[in-house]
Amino acid sequence: SSEVLEAIENVIQGVVQSLAQKKAPVLTVANRADWRNIEFKDSVGLQMIPGCTTKQIRSDCPQSARRFALMLKILSMIYKMVQSNTYATKRDIYYSDTLLFGSQIVVDQIINDISCMLKIPRRSLHVLSTTKGFVAGNLSYTEEDGTKVNCTCSATAVTVPSNVQGIKNLTSHAKFILIVEKDATFQRLLDDDFFSKVSPCIMITGRGIPDLNTRLLVRKLWDSFQIPIFTLMDADPHGVEIMCVYKYGSVSMSFEAHHLTVPSVKWLGLLPSDLERLNICKDALIPFTKQDENKLASIQKRPYIACQPLWKKELEIMAASKLKAEIQVLTSVSADYLSRVYLPNKLQFGGWL
């Protein structure tokens, strides 16, 4: 915490010095969303390059003066929380002054900018994200406050903890981890008791694009158990994008790649090639929208696809057919086909990429 306080003090000192010299104070932040500032490294995923381009948030410029003021406001809130060892969610910060901040997105972006500017992970700033992910299966752990959580005996899923760094005593006999894109599929597998039928496993869902805590938990489980991690996604560009976030990270959070990415993640399904192999009726598939075409084209150009020839092939199948499928399409074969046939066969015969 002294490191965090010192980093904030240095920023404020810079502001005070500028004022003393009758200069307009400026905050310098990295251009997080610029692909030119990102390099791809096989072992880490997408990470920010050391000498990346920056942008200045000036206090004397009408376009950025408001953002400058909001950054100082949030810095002062973080400083107080670190000093008093209290925590707040991003939502708490927004609701402390909704008129001032205007929207939750503004708060989220500023917190990420501050984290990147100070080179300090967001959870060390005492800012917690609201968790939306669920975890179930063969796993137990102790939360920071001493609460014991057992996901194994629960018929319902457990919410991903809001302070993943603080959990300890993780124990599991799981043979693998299964990341499920959608809540509906996750609940279906839970109802079918999938995590104990095939072999003990841990199931996680970020319910779409994963939040920070879900990604942190996947990484923590990988560090703790070093067991295979598989993804079960829709066979569409959006599903592929979500899987890439778990495996390689995202451009906007590339400055934290070392804590978040799990490059060993494997694509288990739903593969575009599975649709033909399983004779899925064309009527059950959904035609691409223009947005899908653009998304797929942008994914195909990304640096990590070049080193994944098998993934590349699957994306080419998808691009050629211009059709996408949700995981639920497997119910057109039979109601419990996913948990009874599809997943057990894939896991037994190595049907992942």
Side-chain angles (χ1 to χ4, degrees):
S1 62
S2 60
E3 194 185 315
V4 181
L5 295 175
E6 194 182 332
I8 296 173
E9 284 160 11
N10 287 341
V11 171
I12 302 305
Q13 210 171 354
V15 170
V16 172
Q17 276 170 348
S18 296
L19 290 170
Q21 293 162 2
K22 298 204 168 23
K23 287 181 188 162
V26 169
L27 295 174
T28 305
V29 296
N31 269 332
R32 289 186 295 116
D34 192 336
W35 272 94
R36 287 170 301 184
N37 285 334
I38 310 297
E39 64 178 355
F40 170 64
K41 202 172 168 196
D42 222 0
S43 59
V44 182
L46 300 174
Q47 62 176 7
M48 199 168 257
I49 58 173
C52 67
T53 61
T54 55
K55 58 183 177 190
Q56 290 196 327
I57 297 167
R58 302 188 61 86
S59 58
D60 62 345
C61 166
Q63 284 84 16
S64 61
R66 177 180 156 70
R67 196 170 185 86
F68 179 89
L70 293 181
M71 280 187 82
L72 287 192
K73 166 79 174 165
I74 293 178
L75 276 168
S76 79
M77 292 172 86
I78 290 169
Y79 193 84
K80 280 179 196 150
M81 288 191 300
V82 175
Q83 255 186 337
S84 58
N85 197 24
T86 53
Y87 287 81
T89 64
K90 294 185 298 181
R91 262 186 110 57
D92 295 334
I93 290 175
Y94 168 58
Y95 280 110
S96 71
D97 199 332
T98 52
L99 281 176
L100 177 70
F101 294 119
S103 77
Q104 182 71 59
I105 292 169
V106 169
V107 173
D108 296 357
Q109 287 174 345
I110 287 177
I111 287 165
N112 283 344
D113 276 342
I114 287 172
S115 174
C116 186
M117 176 175 76
L118 301 178
K119 295 188 172 50
I120 288 168
R122 195 164 79 194
R123 48 211 168 275
S124 302
L125 302 175
H126 287 228
V127 178
L128 304 171
S129 336
T130 318
T131 298
K132 64 182 178 111
F134 288 132
V135 58
N138 196 296
L139 173 70
S140 59
Y141 56 84
T142 309
E143 289 199 339
E144 197 181 26
D145 62 2
T147 311
K148 287 185 167 51
V149 179
N150 189 351
C151 307
T152 314
C153 61
S154 178
T156 55
V158 172
T159 308
V160 168
S162 59
N163 188 357
V164 175
Q165 290 308 95
I167 66 173
K168 48 190 183 293
N169 307 332
L170 286 88
T171 52
S172 175
H173 303 293
K175 296 283 180 279
F176 62 91
I177 294 163
L178 182 66
I179 299 171
V180 183
E181 177 187 349
K182 281 186 175 155
D183 195 22
T185 309
F186 180 85
Q187 296 299 338
R188 180 69 211 239
L189 291 171
L190 206 57
D191 294 343
D192 291 349
D193 203 16
F194 173 77
F195 63 78
S196 56
K197 270 186 186 157
V198 181
S199 66
C201 75
I202 299 167
M203 295 196 316
I204 291 183
T205 180
R207 297 161 80 194
I209 294 169
D211 58 287
L212 191 71
N213 293 327
T214 305
R215 290 177 62 192
L216 282 168
L217 183 62
V218 171
R219 177 58 193 251
K220 185 148 190 139
L221 293 173
W222 162 247
D223 288 338
S224 304
F225 305 122
Q226 301 279 312
I227 51 178
I229 301 181
F230 302 113
T231 56
L232 179 62
M233 305 280 152
D234 287 342
D236 66 9
H238 190 62
V240 175
E241 171 90 283
I242 289 170
M243 173 172 61
C244 291
V245 169
Y246 283 107
K247 187 175 173 76
Y248 296 122
S250 60
V251 173
S252 64
M253 292 298 288
S254 57
F255 63 96
E256 273 211 58
H258 290 270
H259 312 286
L260 291 172
T261 58
V262 186
S264 62
V265 162
K266 302 276 187 288
W267 187 2
L268 186 68
L270 191 60
L271 302 176
S273 59
D274 289 340
L275 303 173
E276 207 168 293
R277 188 173 57 82
L278 299 171
N279 287 324
I280 301 287
C281 166
K282 281 271 198 300
D283 296 344
L285 305 178
I286 308 159
F288 261 25
T289 61
K290 189 78 194 119
Q291 203 179 357
D292 290 326
E293 283 181 44
N294 295 341
K295 167 78 78 185
L296 183 58
S298 106
I299 292 170
Q300 285 177 301
K301 290 193 197 96
R302 289 188 195 164
Y304 43 70
I305 297 299
C307 67
Q308 289 282 2
L310 297 174
W311 283 31
K312 200 173 168 199
K313 216 176 197 164
E314 293 292 333
L315 298 184
E316 281 162 5
I317 294 171
M318 201 190 287
S321 74
K322 291 197 175 172
L323 292 168
K324 57 185 182 177
E326 297 185 329
I327 300 162
Q328 285 87 330
V329 79
L330 296 176
T331 55
S332 67
V333 184
S334 75
D336 58 352
Y337 188 78
L338 175 67
S339 58
R340 190 176 52 83
V341 182
Y342 182 81
L343 288 175
N345 281 353
K346 282 244 167 186
L347 292 161
Q348 190 180 344
F349 301 114
W352 57 80
L353 306 178

